[in-house]
Structure formats: C-alpha cells, structure tokens
Amino acid sequence: MSLLSRIFGEKKKTAAVAKERLQLIIAREHGSGTRGPDFLPALQRELIEVISKYVSVNPEDIKVNLEKQDNYEVLEVNIVLPDQAR
Amino acid sequence: MTRVVVVTSGKGGVGKTTTSAAFASGLALRGFKTAVIDFDVGLRNLDLIMGCERRVVYDFVNVINGEAKLNQALIKDKHCENLFVLPASQTRDKDALTEEGVETVIRELEHMGFDYIVCDSPAGIERGAVMALTFADEAIVTTNPEVSSVRDSDRILGILQSKSKRAAEGREPVKEHLLVTRYSPKRVEEGEMLSYKDVQELLRVPLLGVIPESESVLHASNQGTPAIHLKGTDVAEAYTDVVARFLGEERALRFVAYEKPGLFKRLFGGN
Ligand SMILES: Nc1ncnc2c1ncn2[C@@H]1O[C@H](COP(=O)(O)OP(=O)(O)OP(=O)(O)O)[C@@H](O)[C@H]1O
Ligand SMILES: [Mg+2]
C-alpha cells in the first residue's frame, strides 16, 4: 500500500474483505444444506410418489428447497402440474 | 458426572493439541480428575506436548483391541496429580477407532471416577474427527482469525449438530464454545486480521476465550510442558482464564487490545 493510499484510506482493509467473503460463503453453505437437515432428497422422492398416485408428474417438475432467512427457515415446495391433469 | 469435552476445528494446525494439553492441565490444576485422549491415530503428538513420549507403552488402539488394559495405557502426567494421558497409536490408521471401542473406553473412564475427558481431535471431517466428537457433551471449537479456519469451524459445527450422539439421540445438543487462538491484536488493529468479534459474529457460538499468538507456545512444546504452566506468560494467563470461564466464573477478556508502545513505556520499560 502506498503512503498516499494509506493516508486517504482508499483501499479496503483486508480483514473487512475477509469478513464479507465469509458472510457470503457461510450463508450459502447453510442454504445448500451443509449445516441444515439432509432430508430434502428423501422428502422430494416421497412427494413424487404421493403426487403420482393422483396425477402423472415428471420427477423434475417437483422442486424442494430450504431457505434460511435470518432466524427462520422457509421450506419451499414447487410442483408444476401438466396441463392435461386438470 | 463425567463431562466429555472435544477440542475440534476442522482445519489443521490451528492449536487443538496445544489447547487440549493446556485445558486438560488447567482442569487438573483446579482439582478435577481429568483424562486427555489423543484421537489423532497415526500422527500422535499430544504425548510430545505433554512431555510423556518416552513413557508410552500401550495406546488407545491397543485398549480398543483388548491388547492392553486401560490403566496400563493411561500415563500419569508429570506436572499434575490427577491428570492422565491416553496416547494415540502411531502405527495404525484412523479406521482402528470403532464407535463401540471408543464408547467402551469412555464408559470405563467414567467408572474410574474421571470428572473430565478431553478429546484432542485430529484435523479434517473424516472418521477420526467424527469419533472424537461422537460422545461429546461440550465442544471447544478452536479457530484462527483467518478465512479457511472460520469456514472449517462452521463445517465442524454442522457435523457436531448432526453426528454427535446427543444430536442423533435427540438429547440436549452439545454445548458449543468458541476459542479464538493465535490472535494478534496488533494485526487486528491494523485491519489485517479478523477480530474475535468478527469471528464470533460469523460462527454465532458463545466465546470461551482468545489466546494470543505467542512465542511462549514454542518454548512450551520444546520442553514438553503444556503452555498453561509457563507462569507469567500471556498464553498461560489466557488459558487459565479459559478454564475459569469454562467452570462458570466471570473473567474479562485480556490480551485482545493493542497498546502502541508509547514514549513513556519505551523510555522506562515495564508493563
Ligand atoms: N497461541 C499460539 N501462538 C503461537 N503458536 C501457536 C499457538 N497455538 C499453537 N501454535 C503453534 O501452531 C502449531 C500447531 O499447533 P497444534 O499442534 O496445537 O495444532 P493442531 O490443531 O493440534 O494441529 P493438527 O491439526 O495437526 O493436529 C504448533 O507449531 C504450535 O506451536
Ligand atoms: Mg493436533
């Protein structure tokens, strides 16, 4: 760091950069389930089984996602029904 | 009631063994009957840090395999009356640790009236590390103020919350403590190192203490004397505070603020 940039503090301190990067990566890793429950694949499988009893759906039309928002988690289930099912 | 405490981190070389030795010694100095177990099978080091390497005859794996009795393998510490070391095997790998074997040893230590069992975890998130935390009641998550160590600590917290017996059996979760080690207040002040507050904010685990980066740690390991015994050094004081806090006493954080050596100090010395 040059003396000038030191005086004017134009460059961000590396510790602050480290903290920002960690905040992002930890949030992402929690979201992807590294720290959360790992029941999502099983839940998805069972949902497909149950729904297939009533309508024919493609396995890829059912999406299960767990998202972390501050203090609570949101379980999002997205099912796309084919047109002829209705 | 025996409490099992794992010293863990995910990342290697952050100070787990240094901490296990100092912490176990500190508990023993406070009068608790304490065992410290080296789970780093294949790379044993705790015996060197405790200064008992020449007295190792049998090890943890010998006991698990029924080749030796537990009390034949336990080594009495040279500094503390009620402290015992269970060394790791150097010739086996971590698969030699079975869950049943580890459980048997821990139960037997309970029967022998130990107050605390300190488990020095190997690095990583594989078998050895998982075995070290499986029976834990409390965990000291040892973290350096540095990106990869913080991330790995986060991973190991996730494993504690999923793979420990307490988690698997749905009992009260493992009590987590954050220990920030190799801390340099000067570099934090200069914005080059994460502060202990940053680390705590990222990991969201109650802070047990901060151990400064210190040359004394090398002196301690050179001699095979746990750092807590080096009277008057900052690390010894910091580890003594950690033990006190662990036992529920209030102790203000020390060695976390950087004081620029002022003119007065430079002229007259002293602290
Ligand atoms: N507070 C400290 N100040 C300076 N050096 C330290 C400090 N704590 C640990 N060290 C040094 O860091 C190195 C690694 O320490 P230690 O063996 O305790 O780490 P570890 O986490 O047990 O490593 P591993 O993952 O290989 O088992 C050693 O050389 C030790 O002397
Ligand atoms: Mg070690």
Side-chain angles (χ1 to χ4, degrees):
Chain A
M1 217 190 284
S2 75
L3 184 62
L4 269 184
S5 65
R6 215 182 256 269
I7 291 169
F8 295 106
E10 60 196 48
K11 206 163 181 179
K12 205 172 197 171
K13 291 284 173 38
T14 56
V17 178
K19 186 176 179 189
E20 238 170 65
R21 291 173 62 215
L22 280 165
Q23 276 166 333
L24 288 174
I25 192 71
I26 287 176
R28 202 175 75 200
E29 284 172 352
H30 287 194
S32 70
T34 5
R35 196 164 164 183
D38 36 341
F39 59 74
L40 290 188
L43 177 65
Q44 182 159 13
R45 237 179 299 117
E46 286 176 37
L47 277 173
I48 294 167
E49 276 173 33
V50 174
I51 292 167
S52 300
K53 282 189 196 166
Y54 303 94
V55 286
S56 67
V57 286
N58 288 322
E60 58 270 22
D61 288 338
I62 298 182
K63 294 217 165 58
V64 181
N65 204 4
L66 193 67
E67 235 158 80
K68 201 155 199 155
Q69 302 187 341
D70 298 326
N71 286 328
Y72 50 91
E73 287 173 22
V74 179
L75 179 67
E76 186 186 34
V77 181
N78 215 317
I79 306 167
V80 181
L81 292 180
D83 277 343
Q84 66 268 35
R86 271 171 287 160
Chain B
M1 259 255 301
T2 313
R3 295 290 283 178
V4 180
V5 186
V6 63
V7 179
T8 186
S9 71
K11 188 169 161 59
V14 298
K16 293 180 293 297
T17 301
T18 305
T19 298
S20 299
F23 181 70
S25 301
L27 289 172
L29 288 173
R30 296 289 299 260
F32 295 102
K33 187 171 176 186
T34 306
V36 55
I37 306 180
D38 191 348
F39 274 78
D40 208 343
V41 174
L43 279 177
R44 81 165 170 235
N45 274 325
L46 182 68
D47 56 336
L48 276 174
I49 302 302
M50 300 292 300
C52 65
E53 71 278 4
R54 284 163 55 191
R55 288 188 287 145
V56 176
V57 182
Y58 296 110
D59 59 56
F60 195 15
V61 174
N62 290 140
V63 177
I64 287 179
N65 291 345
E67 295 150 3
K69 294 241 163 56
L70 179 55
N71 56 23
Q72 291 179 294
L74 284 174
I75 303 171
K76 201 183 153 305
D77 182 59
K78 58 183 181 190
H79 300 281
C80 304
E81 194 50 41
N82 35 10
L83 177 60
F84 295 82
V85 183
L86 183 55
S89 168
Q90 239 182 341
T91 51
R92 311 296 244 291
D93 62 31
K94 296 191 171 56
D95 292 332
L97 296 177
T98 59
E99 194 176 303
E100 303 73 54
V102 173
E103 180 162 24
T104 309
V105 170
I106 288 180
R107 296 289 163 257
E108 203 174 333
L109 289 168
E110 282 176 9
H111 281 297
M112 291 166 78
F114 277 91
D115 297 303
Y116 288 101
I117 302 171
V118 177
C119 303
D120 180 18
S121 174
I125 52 172
E126 271 104 48
R127 186 175 191 84
V130 173
M131 282 300 121
L133 64 77
T134 297
F135 297 96
D137 299 305
E138 308 198 31
I140 298 180
V141 179
T142 311
T143 310
N144 291 166
E146 173 270 326
V147 283
S148 49
S149 176
V150 173
R151 183 205 220 169
D152 291 356
S153 289
D154 186 62
R155 287 294 304 279
I156 211 77
L157 283 164
I159 292 170
L160 271 167
Q161 290 156 15
S162 59
K163 300 231 170 114
S164 63
K165 276 277 167 230
R166 280 180 171 267
E169 292 168 2
R171 283 183 287 145
E172 194 187 323
V174 176
K175 188 170 178 194
E176 299 160 350
H177 306 270
L178 172 64
L179 183 69
V180 179
T181 54
R182 310 203 65 167
Y183 196 72
S184 169
K186 179 164 183 277
R187 303 197 71 185
V188 173
E189 172 81 19
E190 286 164 354
E192 294 175 0
M193 184 182 266
L194 291 166
S195 73
Y196 69 88
K197 287 180 188 148
D198 291 336
V199 178
Q200 201 203 343
E201 193 186 313
L202 288 159
L203 294 175
R204 296 163 194 240
V205 172
L207 184 71
L208 182 63
V210 178
I211 308 297
E213 170 79 23
S214 165
E215 290 170 8
S216 314
V217 174
L218 184 58
H219 291 305
S221 69
N222 282 343
Q223 301 166 268
T225 302
I228 200 167
H229 294 302
L230 300 189
K231 294 245 153 48
T233 63
D234 49 2
V235 252
E237 303 270 312
Y239 274 121
T240 305
D241 286 353
V242 161
V243 173
R245 282 187 211 108
F246 182 84
L247 296 173
E249 295 163 22
E250 293 264 351
R251 292 284 167 99
L253 280 180
R254 293 193 279 169
F255 319 111
V256 291
Y258 175 60
E259 288 160 43
K260 286 207 180 80
L263 182 64
F264 183 84
K265 225 180 198 172
R266 266 185 278 162
L267 283 177
F268 299 103
N271 274 296

